[in-house]
Amino acid sequence: MEPSVNFSKEMLRILEKLPRDPQPRLALHACCAPCSSAVIEQLSEYFDITILYYNPNIWPAEEFSKRAEELQRFVKELELSNVHTVVDYYEPGEFYQAVKGLEDEPERGKRCTVCYHQRMERTARWAAENGFDWFCTTLSISPHKDAVRINAIGRELEKQYGVRHLTSDFKKRNGFKRSLELSAQYGMYRQDYCGCEFSARRLEENPGN
């Protein structure tokens, strides 16, 4: 995929062609409730969604649990019969092993690409093992996440695992703005760093950046 591709428009074209009854099943990777909010609102019209909360990058363990609990609370309050949540296992050693040698990479650099891939691959593999039709991630809702890299990884994993990847750039069409509105509406906890120890340490060193 080239950077010039409008991923948001491509997703809309895909959604328009989906069957409505029954809805296809989507395994949706999510890192937190705020990033999930506007994505769920948009996609629940088209998919039977199971959110997979798999995030070995999140540090510390208390933060992992806090985000998981907030995600579960939000989904419960939505009261949508076609949206479900699975909290996957937490093994931070998997993340540290994957990014070994990339600890000093800048934010949005190679370490982040590895992190995207790790979480999306787990989602694609889990989707294949559990009979899902599609997989996707909420990561592109963030203005700090590169949709080109995310969609390239998704296309690669689609070929590897045989589950279709939903092309997306959820920040577009006011997606990020909508996530802020929903966060306020539901009184969500919004973290101030991406999730990993390295992003948290950088925030401590450079507050406000």
Side-chain angles (χ1 to χ4, degrees):
M1 292 183 181
E2 299 297 327
S4 59
V5 172
N6 187 318
F7 301 115
S8 181
K9 285 186 177 180
E10 179 63 24
M11 184 187 74
L12 291 177
R13 284 194 288 269
I14 292 170
L15 295 180
E16 289 171 359
K17 296 177 182 178
L18 292 176
R20 295 301 183 94
D21 187 20
Q23 290 181 317
R25 298 177 68 213
L26 171 71
L28 178 65
H29 166 263
C31 57
C32 61
C35 287
S36 305
S37 59
V39 177
I40 294 171
E41 183 178 66
Q42 182 174 11
L43 296 185
S44 59
E45 179 183 348
Y46 303 94
F47 292 102
D48 185 296
I49 301 171
T50 297
I51 301 164
L52 183 67
Y53 180 77
Y54 169 73
N55 298 286
N57 60 306
I58 292 180
W59 176 91
E62 292 80 5
E63 178 73 12
F64 176 90
S65 298
K66 188 172 185 178
R67 294 192 193 192
E69 290 166 4
E70 191 71 342
L71 176 60
Q72 291 174 309
R73 178 184 72 83
F74 170 63
V75 170
K76 183 177 181 180
E77 290 186 14
L78 284 177
E79 296 184 330
L80 293 173
S81 62
N82 64 335
V83 180
H84 325 278
T85 308
V86 171
V87 176
D88 209 356
Y89 69 94
Y90 178 57
E91 180 44 72
E94 291 184 358
F95 169 71
Y96 288 111
Q97 181 61 36
V99 301
K100 189 174 182 179
L102 301 173
E103 293 87 350
D104 295 326
E105 278 283 308
E107 290 301 295
R108 311 185 201 184
K110 293 179 181 178
R111 185 184 67 248
C112 293
T113 302
V114 171
C115 185
Y116 299 165
H117 192 284
Q118 182 178 48
R119 290 183 284 171
M120 290 178 69
E121 181 171 15
R122 168 60 180 160
T123 306
R125 184 172 68 249
W126 186 84
E129 291 170 350
N130 290 279
F132 282 80
D133 305 295
W134 296 79
F135 79 98
C136 189
T137 178
T138 64
L139 289 172
S140 69
I141 194 77
S142 168
H144 303 297
K145 299 293 189 296
D146 182 356
V148 174
R149 276 187 280 176
I150 289 168
N151 283 287
I153 293 168
R155 185 171 62 172
E156 169 195 329
L157 294 172
E158 177 181 297
K159 294 177 182 177
Q160 183 176 349
Y161 289 98
V163 180
R164 294 196 65 182
H165 173 255
L166 181 64
T167 301
S168 61
D169 189 357
F170 291 115
K171 72 178 71 66
K172 300 296 186 181
R173 301 172 66 246
N174 291 318
F176 179 66
K177 179 183 177 183
R178 182 57 179 157
S179 74
L180 297 177
E181 293 170 350
L182 288 167
S183 295
Q185 179 181 337
Y186 285 88
M188 291 183 198
Y189 161 66
R190 288 188 67 89
Q191 61 283 346
D192 56 5
Y193 67 104
C194 180
C196 76
E197 179 178 1
F198 309 109
S199 62
R201 301 295 189 199
R202 296 255 165 78
L203 183 65
E204 290 177 359
E205 295 167 2
N206 302 283
N209 293 327

